[in-house]
Amino acid sequence: AKELLLTRQQGYQPLSQVMGSSIYHVGWQYTPNYPRMTLFYELETISNAHLHAAQLALGRLEQEASLLRAHGVIGVRLTARDYEWGSDLIEYTAIGTAIRLPNAPLHPRPFLSDLSGQEFWTLLQAGYYPAGIAVGYCIYCVSSGWHLDQQLRWNWSNQEITDYSQAVYTARHLAITRLEAAARSFNALGVV
């Protein structure tokens, strides 16, 4: 109720729930088997599958909003699922509420935002307007070599496994770099 009232206070009218979905086949990814040395690499086939499936779901959500002549979609929830019956399948679903500002010209494309009604209201009060949903993915692998296997199996003391820690930071950096590139494609001032 609060979200509806705050959104209406800005003059926007909710139109309908809109949805976009994509069930996507993840292709084969080569990975080295039992290397002597520890290897670090991105699983690019899988990263790209997640990115493309998310983009398809968001694009279909935007398409539904356009058909309703909406100015945008707020409260977008983007979820990913996989299936036991299809181990090489992923599904991305995007659901949100299409809104319109009466008597205002439509933009070429409706904006998409995961902001709630309250957050959307706050953003507008601060003089900003949502540009879109930016996503960045990275699936990263550490293929442990003989030395790391020995360290994990036969060492009984507490210690950081720096190879794994560094992999997390590398994957994070790649994902954030892609997120920033997506935000630039919207000519966004920032990401919230």
Side-chain angles (χ1 to χ4, degrees):
K2 286 188 259 182
E3 292 190 30
L4 173 65
L5 293 175
L6 286 173
T7 304
R8 287 188 70 91
Q9 185 179 10
Q10 289 294 323
Y12 286 89
Q13 296 175 338
L15 299 174
S16 176
Q17 183 184 61
V18 287
M19 183 190 97
S21 183
S22 173
I23 296 178
Y24 202 89
H25 175 262
V26 179
W28 181 76
Q29 172 72 56
Y30 170 76
T31 55
N33 290 326
Y34 306 109
R36 184 163 177 77
M37 297 179 63
T38 301
L39 299 177
F40 308 88
Y41 49 92
E42 180 180 7
L43 300 174
E44 292 180 9
T45 300
I46 301 171
S47 292
N48 291 336
H50 280 269
L51 178 62
H52 195 223
Q55 289 171 335
L56 288 171
L58 290 168
R60 291 172 182 151
L61 175 82
E62 181 183 303
Q63 189 176 34
E64 279 195 16
S66 291
L67 291 172
L68 291 171
R69 302 183 50 78
H71 284 92
V73 182
I74 60 172
V76 174
R77 294 183 318 273
L78 181 64
T79 58
R81 295 177 24 175
D82 54 358
Y83 298 100
E84 288 182 22
W85 51 267
S87 61
D88 54 353
L89 299 176
I90 54 173
E91 178 186 18
Y92 273 82
T93 304
I95 297 175
T97 302
I99 58 174
R100 179 187 304 144
L101 186 59
N103 303 320
L106 290 175
H107 302 292
R109 298 174 62 176
F111 70 82
L112 303 181
S113 174
D114 67 344
L115 298 176
S116 69
Q118 291 116 321
E119 294 165 332
F120 177 65
W121 181 85
T122 303
L123 190 72
L124 293 178
Q125 293 299 315
Y128 294 99
Y129 194 76
I133 294 180
V135 294
Y137 290 91
C138 178
I139 311 297
Y140 204 78
C141 180
V142 177
S143 180
S144 58
W146 179 83
H147 183 293
L148 184 56
D149 281 342
Q150 295 303 315
Q151 183 181 8
L152 293 172
R153 284 194 182 122
W154 303 110
N155 192 335
W156 296 338
S157 62
N158 295 338
Q159 64 178 318
E160 179 183 20
I161 308 302
T162 56
D163 290 338
Y164 291 151
S165 297
Q166 186 56 49
V168 169
Y169 283 100
T170 302
R172 179 177 178 265
H173 171 74
L174 290 169
I176 288 174
T177 299
R178 291 168 187 157
L179 175 78
E180 290 169 345
R184 278 193 298 279
S185 75
F186 291 120
N187 294 319
L189 298 175
V191 177
V192 296

